[in-house]
Amino acid sequence: MHPAGVKIATRGAKILRPAAPGAASTIMKAVILAGGEGTRLRPLTLSIPKPVAPVVDRPFLRHQLDLLAGAGVSEVVFSVAYHPEQVEAVFGDGRGFGIRIRYAVESTPLGTGGAVKNAEPLLDERTIVLNGDVLMDLDLASIVARHEAAQAAASIVLTPVRNPEAYGLVETDLEGRVLRFVEKPRPEQIRTNTINAGVYVLETPVLELMPPGVQYSIERGFFPTLLERGDRVLGPVHEGYWIDIGTPQQYLQVHHDILARRFPVELDGEPRAGGWIHKDATVSEGTALEAPFYVGPGCRVEPGAHLGPNAVLVADVHVAPGARVRDSVIWRAARIGPEAEVAKSVVGPGVALGRSSRLVGGLLGEGSVLSDYSRNS
Ligand code: GDD
Ligand code: MG
């Protein structure tokens, strides 16, 4: 055990050797920061951590693994601190996801910088770092190529947003070199609309700037220090799709975006009536289907129910006759009672909504019960 109580999972670890000088790009490794408690998604995240929260038909981090694998990354370190056993139970060693996965477990969260530092022994000379709650259609391979061509110490992928206050504001010069990084800027500090998209390319030796074994922020500590030192830091701008799924509104938004194909994902289901129905789901003939929607494996939708628009039933959900679900995500094994109505809500696993109950703009944690005729609006 590390003095600060940090444990590095060494199962399957191998001895790392730096590539021979001048060798072509070696295996690329990535770290996914997936140790946050997901407080803004409570109560859902009390039982299920954000990395494995479902996003339509798959655990969230699988979307990130697909992005990394597509760019030639073959090994990923999951940096986990909160419910690590659940993340490991879903992803294991990566077999079945096309990528090798190892785990760096913190017994107490070390912050975004401390978490990368904690993973350092598992890395080699160049590292991709991803916040574990962002989704984007990034061309990561070209970001790495530009980073390499410019011989940068670090690249921070940027994205334009309307409200930089909730993010890390990043100012660049005309050549795209980063001048300033201000985490959660005050309104008077906002001079641009580009923010940190939560993806970095780092030359691993620069991690020497991070103190080991203590809480440390990559945004408030590491990047400002790197800039002060005068290192070359690039800020390539990603103009495509980007979202942080960390709030209930954004969590719902990413579902709408995937169903509307604003973010392309091959969903596990057969196209039907402008939505998708999994082959192991039962949707009665008498169901009103309003596109788009997704019905996952094991779900059963009874006659007279109304699904959509933007209804996602993750798996094993039961929708009783006459129930209506729209603009909502219903997690595994929830039951929506007869004539119940759900809108703009996220319903956790195993939740039971009684007859004629009504939930609008709600978040229900695992196992909640809404008794017959209960309503929140
Ligand atoms: N392992 C580990 N340990 N991971 C952590 C820890 C920790 O102590 N703290 C946070 N994380 C992970 C979270 O799980 C999340 O995936 C990621 O680091 C970022 O943390 P958030 O708490 O979601 O930060 P944020 O959304 O307020 O801001 C960050 O993301 C923005 C983009 O979405 C910053 O990086 C901003 O600069 C950025 O703009
Ligand atoms: Mg976030």
Side-chain angles (χ1 to χ4, degrees):
M1 190 65 93
H2 189 277
V6 178
K7 190 178 80 194
I8 291 176
T10 49
R11 184 159 9 115
K14 64 170 192 185
I15 295 167
L16 303 173
R17 286 184 202 86
S25 284
T26 52
I27 303 171
M28 265 210 294
K29 292 192 181 175
V31 177
I32 298 183
L33 297 174
E37 293 186 16
T39 49
R40 289 164 291 188
L41 283 176
R42 282 180 187 160
L44 296 155
T45 43
L46 292 177
S47 57
I48 311 248
K50 216 165 27 169
V52 293
V55 169
V56 193
D57 63 345
R58 61 198 71 187
F60 179 69
L61 283 190
R62 201 182 123 196
H63 294 282
Q64 291 202 338
L65 292 180
D66 290 346
L67 174 88
L68 292 170
V73 173
S74 52
E75 285 196 23
V76 179
V77 179
F78 279 6
S79 168
V80 281
Y82 180 68
H83 287 318
E85 70 299 335
Q86 284 198 39
V87 180
E88 203 166 348
V90 171
F91 290 102
D93 64 4
R95 224 167 298 169
F97 296 94
I99 204 158
R100 182 176 189 213
I101 299 174
R102 292 193 283 174
Y103 295 84
V105 182
E106 295 146 60
S107 47
T108 56
L110 288 173
T112 46
V116 178
K117 186 71 176 173
N118 184 43
E120 192 179 16
L122 300 177
L123 305 173
D124 45 34
E125 70 271 22
R126 180 171 298 144
T127 306
I128 315 288
V129 178
L130 244 79
N131 282 355
D133 60 355
V134 291
L135 185 68
M136 70 200 87
D137 52 1
L138 181 68
D139 181 356
L140 183 57
S142 88
I143 300 281
V144 174
R146 279 153 72 185
H147 170 94
E148 190 164 322
Q151 297 189 321
S155 293
I156 304 170
V157 176
L158 310 183
T159 189
V161 295
R162 260 181 279 148
N163 57 333
E165 266 177 86
Y167 302 103
L169 184 77
V170 184
E171 281 176 31
T172 54
D173 67 13
L174 291 173
E175 273 82 52
R177 196 167 158 172
V178 173
L179 299 172
R180 222 158 67 98
F181 192 118
V182 189
E183 184 64 16
K184 310 290 188 291
R186 294 188 303 277
E188 68 273 16
Q189 291 177 302
I190 298 175
R191 284 183 251 159
T192 176
N193 69 343
T194 45
I195 60 125
N196 167 22
V199 180
Y200 321 122
V201 184
L202 303 178
E203 293 306 297
T204 310
V206 297
L207 298 186
E208 77 189 7
L209 284 178
M210 296 186 180
V214 293
Q215 271 241 351
Y216 186 67
S217 160
I218 205 166
E219 298 89 351
R220 297 177 196 274
F222 177 71
F223 287 129
T225 306
L226 203 60
L227 292 168
E228 261 166 41
R229 203 172 76 156
D231 281 32
R232 183 184 295 272
V233 180
L234 296 189
V237 179
H238 168 61
E239 300 281 358
Y241 185 82
W242 181 87
I243 196 166
D244 175 331
I245 64 148
T247 67
Q249 291 77 4
Q250 285 162 193
Y251 179 76
L252 284 172
Q253 185 65 47
V254 75
H255 286 80
H256 300 177
D257 292 340
I258 289 174
L259 294 182
R261 302 207 141 282
R262 285 188 285 273
F263 182 76
V265 177
E266 271 315 307
L267 293 176
D268 185 15
E270 316 284 337
R272 182 166 139 197
W276 291 263
I277 297 177
H278 192 275
K279 64 177 176 27
D280 300 327
T282 312
V283 176
S284 310
E285 281 304 319
T287 304
L289 295 172
E290 200 175 336
F293 55 84
Y294 175 80
V295 181
C299 292
R300 197 155 52 89
V301 184
E302 306 273 9
H306 186 123
L307 284 190
N310 296 310
V312 171
L313 312 182
V314 169
D316 303 325
V317 173
H318 179 228
V319 180
R324 300 173 68 94
V325 179
R326 68 176 163 88
D327 299 318
S328 296
V329 182
I330 317 295
W331 290 16
R332 183 177 292 278
R335 284 170 293 140
I336 316 296
E339 309 290 335
E341 191 181 336
V342 186
K344 300 182 183 167
S345 298
V346 187
V347 170
V351 167
L353 300 189
R355 166 182 295 276
S356 299
S357 58
R358 188 173 135 97
L359 182 72
V360 179
L363 284 182
L364 293 184
E366 177 155 17
S368 307
V369 175
L370 211 55
S371 56
D372 293 354
Y373 301 98
S374 294
R375 49 201 301 158
N376 76 331
S377 68

